[in-house]
Amino acid sequence: MTMPSFCLIVEDDPFQCKLLTHQLQQLDVPQVETCSSAEELLKMIDTGRHVNLLILDINLPGMDGIEVLRHLADRNYAGELLLVSGEDESMLTTAARLARAHGLKILGQVSKPVSPKNLSNLLNSQCSSLEPKFRVSPKFYTPEEVAKAIADKELTGFYQPKVKVDDRKVVGAEYLVRWQHPEDGLVLPDQFVFAAEAGGIISELTTAIFADALEQLKRWQAKGLNLKVAVNVSMSDLCTHSFADQVFEMCEKRGVKAEDLVLEVTESRLEHNITNALEVLGRLRLRHFRLSIDDFGTGHSSLARLRDLPFDELKIDRSFTHRAWEDPRRLAIYESSLDMARRLGMQVVAEGVEDEEDWQFLQDNDCHMAQGYYISCPLPPEEFTRWMQSWHAS
Ligand code: C2E
Ligand code: CA
Ligand code: CA
């Protein structure tokens, strides 16, 4: 069963908000937030906030829940919708019908007060369809479409925080590329990075991504924020001899120091062309760029890669982190990865920290950094700085 990763409750009654939040947390929904008006909700959507499940009270002050449906449809809201009301059932049925007519995805409708059992049934019946990767748009794109998106500047970066486990300090942000498609809405990297690689335009894609990430890093630095920005590097990039020089040049042009940039390389993609990759990564490391081995444990030759390449950071894949505390097999792999990284003098990032129990588990075993929906989902840059303030305040 997969729970929606980010759930937003739109409800003006603070007691109902608390009750629903509690019930969702009991159901293991990793991130729940609330807002009290339709206007606030639309503002969040407009900033690019990626909501998976919206629980909407249709009786709101100001703009009501019926009117907001049209605004959601205008904004191509692609998440699921659960309608709640204290009115009679027929009002809910009308609202649900209208939402469907607008092309919105209705998870269900419930009358107040919402019982935990009701909520659980609704979420469990539908949740696999809420997995964000498959929910937003299952479409794949051609290299020509991706090339046009790059030229039209439709690509944008979302940032997911990397936080220190011991003092919760935000130390970095991973750039995760998104395509703001004019018709299809927000498109995830798994739907187009492969096309760029296969179509021989990965270099154009990576250049656009680096430019965007480096500009953002400069903006954060100008605000006094000391963050390392991590960028994902494709295996095709590492097959290009000139890649290291391109990175040096892009950073020099913007006055970005090598130590502030982390290059994340998926080790399962490091299996071919190792000689080229060794040269490129070696040159980058020589200039003090930080290298990170991503999704550690999922490839076939993890250990050989660690022997041959000078990585600074190891990211333990989420399939070994999430719920490792209750699964002896995951735990064994997690602990040995952590131990090995420590012996090799590398920093460790645990990926896929999705709930309080995962977070607690990390506190008990000296992992350096954490990343995952429990801390925050990937956010647009303005949201990221706002999120940072609330994270440090809490
Ligand atoms: P990745 O580098 O392993 O990135 C982490 C992925 O896990 C992201 O998906 C992120 O949204 C998701 N994630 C983060 N926290 C959690 C969690 O707690 N639970 C779960 N289940 N998932 C979590 P996203 O953004 O869809 O990216 C997918 C992959 O696409 C990335 O995996 C990376 O390999 C690739 N990618 C993303 N951005 C770029 C890019 O700019 N360039 C290249 N070449 N590849 C990219
Ligand atoms: Ca990564
Ligand atoms: Ca990863």
Side-chain angles (χ1 to χ4, degrees):
M1 180 182 72
T2 313
M3 279 294 163
S5 42
F6 176 39
C7 175
L8 181 66
I9 302 167
V10 192
E11 163 73 72
D12 60 318
D13 178 345
F15 174 71
Q16 290 290 337
C17 269
K18 270 199 191 137
L19 191 69
L20 270 171
T21 305
H22 177 72
Q23 289 175 359
L24 289 161
Q25 281 164 347
Q26 295 291 306
L27 290 169
D28 277 339
V29 175
Q31 210 188 349
V32 183
E33 282 185 27
T34 61
C35 70
S36 58
S37 72
E39 287 77 4
E40 223 178 306
L41 156 71
L42 294 176
K43 220 182 277 170
M44 269 176 109
I45 305 264
D46 285 343
T47 56
R49 197 70 198 273
H50 189 56
V51 182
N52 302 98
L53 173 65
L54 196 59
I55 302 191
L56 179 69
D57 178 10
I58 59 172
N59 314 86
L60 290 168
M63 186 192 297
D64 62 48
I66 300 276
E67 192 184 350
V68 82
L69 296 174
R70 175 165 44 83
H71 292 283
L72 285 173
D74 286 346
R75 286 162 173 78
N76 296 322
Y77 170 66
E80 302 264 349
L81 194 58
L82 178 62
L83 299 175
V84 181
S85 172
E87 296 284 337
D88 61 21
E89 192 70 26
S90 65
M91 194 57 235
L92 273 171
T93 306
T94 307
R97 198 173 297 143
L98 182 65
R100 283 195 191 92
H102 277 306
L104 297 167
K105 288 177 209 149
I106 288 282
L107 177 64
Q109 55 191 72
V110 263
S111 299
K112 284 192 215 171
V114 182
S115 78
K117 190 163 180 290
N118 235 336
L119 196 61
S120 161
N121 284 346
L122 278 165
L123 292 186
N124 289 328
S125 66
Q126 300 276 337
C127 261
S128 57
S129 75
L130 287 165
E131 177 65 22
K133 282 192 191 317
F134 303 106
R135 186 187 46 69
V136 174
S137 156
K139 194 170 147 187
F140 291 91
Y141 297 85
T142 63
E144 291 73 28
E145 288 172 309
V146 182
K148 186 169 180 310
I150 300 170
D152 294 349
K153 303 205 181 319
E154 287 170 1
L155 299 185
T156 175
F158 274 38
Y159 293 82
Q160 190 177 36
K162 283 181 175 175
V163 304
K164 266 173 63 199
V165 174
D166 56 357
D167 59 5
R168 296 165 45 95
K169 198 164 173 264
V170 183
V171 284
E174 178 178 359
Y175 183 105
L176 293 158
V177 69
R178 302 286 182 264
W179 177 359
Q180 193 66 63
H181 194 287
E183 276 117 43
D184 301 341
L186 205 63
V187 180
L188 293 172
D190 287 345
Q191 295 166 258
F192 63 93
V193 171
F194 177 75
E197 282 174 334
I201 53 159
I202 192 71
S203 159
E204 286 82 344
L205 179 71
T206 307
T207 306
I209 285 168
F210 266 80
D212 197 23
L214 294 175
E215 298 293 343
Q216 186 54 51
L217 176 61
K218 289 299 289 177
R219 279 195 286 275
W220 278 332
Q221 285 177 342
K223 283 189 182 171
L225 292 178
N226 188 15
L227 290 170
K228 291 195 191 306
V229 167
V231 180
N232 289 284
V233 170
S234 149
M235 186 61 209
S236 320
D237 291 316
L238 300 178
C239 293
T240 315
H241 276 296
S242 58
F243 179 70
D245 289 317
Q246 284 166 22
V247 175
F248 301 157
E249 213 173 278
M250 285 189 285
C251 288
E252 234 163 69
K253 196 171 132 193
R254 293 173 179 86
V256 169
K257 288 201 295 238
E259 305 88 270
D260 292 333
L261 196 64
V262 182
L263 303 180
E264 294 194 6
V265 187
T266 303
E267 59 106 4
S268 57
R269 295 187 197 152
L270 269 175
E271 279 148 30
H272 314 287
N273 266 311
I274 191 67
T275 327
N276 250 318
L278 252 173
E279 179 185 323
V280 169
L281 291 172
R283 289 188 64 211
L284 286 160
R285 188 63 188 77
L286 210 56
R287 297 272 193 121
H288 306 297
F289 285 91
R290 296 182 64 79
L291 304 183
S292 171
I293 186 160
D294 204 354
D295 302 340
F296 185 75
T298 57
H300 301 296
S301 51
S302 317
L303 298 177
R305 297 295 79 88
L306 281 184
R307 181 197 59 204
D308 298 337
L309 291 160
F311 288 103
D312 304 278
E313 179 183 281
L314 181 149
K315 296 184 83 174
I316 305 180
D317 189 69
R318 64 171 165 271
S319 56
F320 307 117
T321 306
H322 179 48
R323 304 198 90 77
W325 44 273
E326 63 166 9
D327 179 343
R329 287 179 174 271
R330 287 180 205 208
L331 183 63
I333 299 169
Y334 171 87
E335 284 182 341
S336 21
S337 308
L338 187 64
D339 181 50
M340 190 170 51
R342 242 192 253 122
R343 291 173 66 170
L344 292 171
M346 298 163 78
Q347 295 276 300
V348 182
V349 184
E351 294 190 295
V353 179
E354 291 196 359
D355 50 40
E356 174 75 36
E357 282 125 324
D358 288 349
W359 174 253
Q360 206 49 55
F361 164 73
L362 298 186
Q363 315 276 323
D364 301 335
N365 54 53
D366 286 339
C367 179
H368 304 112
M369 283 175 272
Q371 204 179 335
Y373 295 156
Y374 174 73
I375 300 150
S376 167
C377 56
L379 300 169
E382 335 65 73
E383 280 275 315
F384 186 94
T385 26
R386 262 201 297 277
W387 168 86
M388 250 179 102
Q389 282 160 0
S390 61
W391 171 260
H392 283 144
S394 65

